[in-house]
Amino acid sequence: MSDTSGWGPQAPYGGPQGPRGPYDGPPPGWGWNGGWAPPPPPPKPGVIPLAPLGVDHVLGGTFATMRRYAKPLFGTAAAAYGLLAAVVIAAAVLAYVSVREHFQALSETDATFSWGHGRPLLIAFGAVWLVGLLATLAVNSFIQASCAATLHEAVLGRPATFAAVWRRAWSRTPSVMGVTLLLAFILLLPMAACVLLFVSFFVTVMTQSAAPFGLVFLLLLVVTPLAAWLYVLFAFAPAVAALETAGPLAALRRSARLVRGAWWRTFGISLLAGIIVVVVSLAVRLPLQFATPAPPRVDPGTSASTVMLDQLRSQFGLYALFGLVGSFVTQLAASVFLPLVTAVLYIDQRIRKEDLARTLTEASSVQEPAP
């Protein structure tokens, strides 16, 4: 998988777009014999036409990429999630082995809690949580980079292999990870405001004063739109980091320049993609929830261990396996679908502002060298 020249910044918005190329055809509205004729369709070497895209082209190109390049896309994502599960399980096992004696001491009958035994448990499993958080961040960044790497070839109509996508995504993962971490900090703003709102509610109930709740509610009203605006403004940064080999800060600045003037369009199409993911997820999960067997009735004389065993049998059966598989499939699809939509929007903005269509058309006509 070779890098296509021209993915980097090109002509600025409003700048010269160069002379008309041979693929442009006659001027729109004129036929070769002087009569009216419709303009020729834009070239389409891959999954999207190389022209400004509508919503149907954005979503259609995304679904076409997922269908034609299912093996590199979903194979890479599944392998990454499998690696994530292995890392988290290994970290949990190591943590348990290191504090097994303290855990057994607190699990004994009539055992009382003491910091001598509790502190090692908190430290060990806090380390597991931190390892899982960092591994999840790395895996999600890797999947975003793999989606951009696959779309790079899908737009040009070239094949993409699992190994080639893996190599290219792995080389860009550190930069995409930096961008993802900065975007996560942006999302922490409304989350922190929600936590403060929850705390202020209890303060209001206890002190009979509405001032804390009112102030935090106003803060939430200000912070949430600000975080949404910043998140959309920097939405193209992962694609920039993967396709233009830019660093995290340079990718954020580049995304802001591309989104400028198209914020509402980017927000609307991204929101539509999110709604599609939610609807599909509910369509998979709701039937499984309705099919969940009701817990067995508890008799007064039944022992606690028997009650717990009956509850586990009712809640963890064949349906639970189907639910786990369904959740994994929907998560896998969402982790691929959303980054692809954003990457297609990024290409669309570059076509509109920088005449990227010309570069892609020329690149698609070049024979890809054999590996």
Side-chain angles (χ1 to χ4, degrees):
M1 181 186 297
S2 63
D3 290 336
T4 300
S5 60
W7 278 111
Q10 297 181 3
Y13 180 68
Q17 301 298 324
R20 293 175 62 85
Y23 60 87
D24 291 324
W30 294 92
W32 292 109
N33 297 322
W36 185 90
K44 188 180 178 181
V47 294
I48 58 173
L50 301 183
L53 306 176
V55 180
D56 55 339
H57 294 125
V58 173
L59 296 179
T62 300
F63 285 119
T65 304
M66 295 171 67
R67 183 176 64 255
R68 299 180 191 178
Y69 296 83
K71 289 183 179 180
L73 276 176
F74 295 108
T76 302
Y81 279 127
L83 183 61
L84 171 64
V87 169
V88 173
I89 292 174
V93 170
L94 289 176
Y96 175 75
V97 170
S98 63
V99 295
R100 179 172 50 189
E101 296 179 356
H102 302 283
F103 181 80
Q104 292 175 348
L106 292 178
S107 302
E108 292 178 355
T109 306
D110 299 331
T112 58
F113 178 82
S114 66
W115 279 110
H117 294 299
R119 189 179 296 109
L121 291 175
L122 293 177
I123 294 175
F125 290 100
V128 172
W129 175 83
L130 182 60
V131 169
L133 183 65
L134 294 177
T136 301
L137 175 64
V139 165
N140 288 336
S141 301
F142 175 79
I143 292 175
Q144 291 186 74
S146 67
C147 290
T150 305
L151 187 65
H152 176 279
E153 304 304 309
V155 169
L156 300 176
R158 295 174 177 173
T161 63
F162 175 88
V165 169
W166 185 280
R167 287 194 302 269
R168 183 166 185 173
W170 182 254
S171 66
R172 299 310 306 157
T173 295
S175 182
V176 178
M177 187 174 176
V179 170
T180 305
L181 189 61
L182 292 174
L183 292 177
F185 280 124
I186 293 175
L187 293 180
L188 284 178
L189 294 175
M191 292 176 60
C194 288
V195 172
L196 288 176
L197 186 68
F198 184 76
V199 173
S200 66
F201 174 77
F202 285 97
V203 173
T204 299
V205 172
M206 296 176 64
T207 62
Q208 303 297 320
S209 173
F213 183 81
L215 291 175
V216 176
F217 182 74
L218 291 176
L219 177 64
L220 182 64
L221 291 180
V222 173
V223 167
T224 301
L226 176 62
W229 178 74
L230 290 174
Y231 189 81
V232 175
L233 189 67
F234 299 137
F236 295 160
V240 172
L243 293 176
E244 298 184 17
T245 62
L249 294 179
L252 292 173
R253 291 193 295 266
R254 175 88 167 119
S255 175
R257 288 195 295 269
L258 289 172
V259 174
R260 190 176 297 119
W263 190 94
W264 283 107
R265 183 173 185 273
T266 305
F267 171 76
I269 297 177
S270 301
L271 180 62
L272 177 60
I275 292 174
I276 292 174
V277 169
V278 172
V279 170
V280 172
S281 178
L282 290 177
V284 172
R285 294 179 182 180
L286 285 181
L288 293 174
Q289 290 183 357
F290 284 119
T292 303
R297 298 180 58 183
V298 178
D299 297 328
T302 307
S303 63
S305 59
T306 303
V307 171
M308 182 177 296
L309 183 60
D310 290 339
Q311 295 290 328
L312 290 175
R313 287 174 178 172
S314 64
Q315 297 299 314
F316 295 94
L318 185 60
Y319 94 94
L321 178 61
F322 288 141
L324 183 62
V325 173
S327 298
F328 177 74
V329 171
T330 53
Q331 174 63 29
L332 195 65
S335 66
V336 169
F337 177 72
L338 294 177
L340 278 178
V341 170
T342 304
V344 173
L345 284 172
Y346 153 80
I347 294 175
D348 173 52
Q349 280 304 110
R350 292 201 56 190
I351 289 175
R352 293 171 183 268
K353 292 189 172 185
E354 299 175 352
D355 196 25
L356 182 64
R358 183 181 304 277
T359 302
L360 295 178
T361 302
E362 295 172 354
S364 64
S365 62
V366 176
Q367 184 69 28
E368 181 76 358

